[in-house]
Amino acid sequence: MGVVAFDPFEPGFVESPYGQYGRLRANDPVHWSDLLQGWVLTRHDDVVALLRDLDISVELDNARPSAVVDQQRERQARTGRNSDTLVLRDDPDHNRLRKLLQRPFGPRPVEALRTMVAERVDGSMAELAGRDGMDVISDFAYPLPVAVFNEMLGLPDEDAPQVRAWIAAVARMLDPVIDDEEHGRCNVLMNEMYDYLDTQIEAKRRAPADDVLTALVQAEEDGDRLTRDELVGQVVTLYVAGHEPTMSLIGNGLLALLRHPTQLALVRSRPDLLPNAVNELLRYDGPNQFVRRIAVQPYTIDDTTIAPGDVIYAAVGAANRDPARWDDPDAVHVDRPDAAHHVQFGSGIHHCLGAHLARLQAEVALGALLSRLDDMALAGEPQWSERMVIRGLQYLPITYRAAAAA
């Protein structure tokens, strides 16, 4: 076997990175990547231990200089934005921001949104029922999360197409492998999004409404409130975290079921399995592939000691396919008893704030597709985005016929 290395440019990686993850996990599970100038962890237990370690940092200021870190710092300085978000803050700042943000995204408030999400999905399905084919991404999965989030925040539906373009740009900027020209283009769009949200937040201050954005504007914990810059930064983060992974979960998940027809038939025959199926699809081919952390003191795994200041990329996509943790990890089993133990939404104090909302939307959306469309089949080759951090489809063509009314 030749040299094993992390290489997102390897032929076939975009279509499926899991073969490369498997080679790294088997031969070099604590892997130094010259490309990323950081460590790549691919074993489940190593990833979970890192994400739960309270002495590991998320703040780029703690990273030692390298070509990649220096570029990221320079880009962050140009944007002047990213440090305002809780996902890039350590405690106590992270804990303070999370307390102010978490109330609307808990299990009960999110479950209360099920009717609204179902109505949005019903509207989409009614438009699609008269057709015999669609691109699942552009016609269904892409518009849904922004429409849901806009309604939650109390923002106009007519702004959704522009918001989607902004979100895609911000999500692309998460990748460490992006050239300066594309980063600059995305930065322009991100600044437009910040300006738009700043205007909307000011409108909610002047005229409060019964929506989540007003609740965040008014949020207070022990006399503490979000500053204006913090609030805009968190809303951008929530948009990206709520849209891109949810869209990708619906697309990736449906493709996985189409490629596992016995599992598709099983979940159709047993709708009670749908919540577990969503967790299994998150495990099998979830959107979040990497989480970045920084060591602040020597960190030892097996015989390797990671130095303070080194950047570590926890490959959650690889962890969720680790055969040491999962039986038959490269196949979908919608009734897998431990599917909910995936690390797609992270672990520890930085566990994803929007996890409940993403699962709810995917459950309602996939449930509608499976119950209302018969004879679904691929109508061409799916096309994947080339992003490293958030894995998702750009194009998923299918044919179908509308199911007969019950």
Side-chain angles (χ1 to χ4, degrees), residues 106-115 356 360:
R108 288 186 179 179
V110 167
E111 183 59 33
L113 298 172
R114 185 177 290 273
T115 299
H356 301 299
L360 173 67

Side-chain angles (χ1 to χ4, degrees), residues 271-311:
D272 61 295
L273 282 176
L274 192 55
N276 195 74
V278 167
N279 278 316
E280 172 65 350
L281 296 170
L282 283 162
R283 181 205 66 80
Y284 175 76
D285 195 12
N288 298 312
Q289 293 289 299
F290 290 92
V291 176
R292 187 187 69 189
R293 295 289 186 265
I294 296 101
V296 293
Q297 58 190 23
Y299 188 82
T300 301
I301 306 174
D302 296 340
D303 297 328
T304 301
T305 297
I306 296 172
D310 279 2
V311 177

Side-chain angles (χ1 to χ4, degrees), residues 146-164:
V146 169
V148 167
F149 214 71
N150 271 11
E151 184 161 343
M152 286 177 63
L153 292 174
L155 300 181
D157 268 355
E158 57 266 27
D159 293 343
Q162 181 60 65
V163 172
R164 291 199 296 269

